Amino acid sequence: MANIDSVTLEVTDLSSARSFYDALDLGDRLHLRESDAPTSGFRGFHLSLVCSQPGDVNALFDAAVAAGATVLKPVTKSLWGHGGAVQAPDGTIWKLATSAKKDTAPVSRKADQVVLLIGADDVSASKKFYVAHGLTVGKSFGSYVDFKMGSSPIGFGLYKRAALAKDGGVAPEGSGSHRIAVNSDLGEFTDPDGFAWEPVWVSR
């Protein structure tokens, strides 16, 4: 089964980005590299931190805001669970969520899973592209696709671009670099929406 080892965010200020992401404690699932590639508006993706319980979501959300994140959607309860969204100082949108209704263990600031959602202009075409590159569809309905990633450190899915922007609390308009690379064992390629996939990240 295909494996996404990590994601690499491209940032203009490595020092400040490292300081911010220390607060989220994502370990080897997240890497950073310097870039001044032009970018504006919505970058076409967001990263989700999926937690075990509401208290963990609150702890991560508060840590992100204290470290300098901008609140896009305050943490709220809903029919599906508990969550909110922030934008990191480097511009990346992070959604923090859980499907659990209440805490059942001591609160921690740990995310059980990191999920990359790409906003596709044509979800059906992008789904076919990724299946041809070795991914297996888990769930697919309408404008949303969730791929089976097994024990991969990073989950992966597709969502209609405008719907993903709305879910993150931002306008859908945007241009320039996505400022992200996906590190996997699938090889090196660029998808229909311009997202770069690279070999598994190696320290350098």
Side-chain angles (χ1 to χ4, degrees):
M1 186 169 286
N3 180 76
I4 298 178
D5 173 78
S6 57
V7 294
T8 299
L9 296 179
E10 298 180 340
V11 301
T12 55
D13 186 333
L14 273 176
S15 179
S16 63
R18 284 172 179 147
S19 178
F20 173 79
Y21 287 112
D22 281 348
L24 299 187
D25 193 21
L26 298 175
D28 290 337
R29 293 176 290 186
L30 176 71
H31 303 291
L32 303 169
R33 69 182 174 212
E34 205 158 20
S35 172
D36 58 1
T39 186
S40 65
F42 180 46
R43 295 179 186 171
F45 75 93
H46 72 212
L47 288 157
S48 294
L49 300 180
V50 183
C51 300
S52 297
Q53 56 186 9
D56 299 348
V57 170
N58 295 339
L60 269 172
F61 189 92
D62 291 345
V65 173
T70 300
V71 176
L72 297 176
K73 286 188 172 183
V75 174
T76 57
K77 294 180 181 179
S78 66
L79 290 175
W80 57 263
H82 187 89
V86 299
Q87 188 167 33
D90 65 88
T92 302
I93 294 172
W94 292 85
K95 186 175 179 181
L96 301 91
T98 182
S99 59
K101 302 295 184 182
K102 60 181 180 179
D103 293 340
T104 57
V107 170
S108 75
R109 215 175 64 191
K110 291 284 186 181
D112 297 332
Q113 188 181 20
V114 178
V115 179
L116 169 63
L117 274 178
I118 283 179
D121 287 329
D122 185 332
V123 173
S124 179
S126 291
K127 178 173 74 171
K128 291 177 182 177
F129 175 87
Y130 279 110
V131 169
H133 277 75
L135 291 182
T136 301
V137 174
K139 298 176 184 177
S140 180
F141 46 90
S143 60
Y144 177 76
V145 179
D146 178 51
F147 292 98
K148 290 182 179 179
M149 300 307 299
S151 59
S152 174
I154 308 289
F156 178 58
L158 303 171
Y159 203 11
K160 190 72 175 175
R161 180 185 169 95
L164 185 63
K166 182 178 180 181
D167 188 49
V170 297
E173 294 78 19
S175 63
S177 174
H178 294 300
R179 293 281 188 95
I180 188 174
V182 187
N183 310 122
S184 79
D185 57 8
L186 296 178
E188 193 167 354
F189 59 88
T190 300
D191 83 352
D193 295 287
F195 286 88
W197 287 61
E198 300 179 352
V200 171
W201 197 92
V202 179
S203 296
R204 55 187 182 274

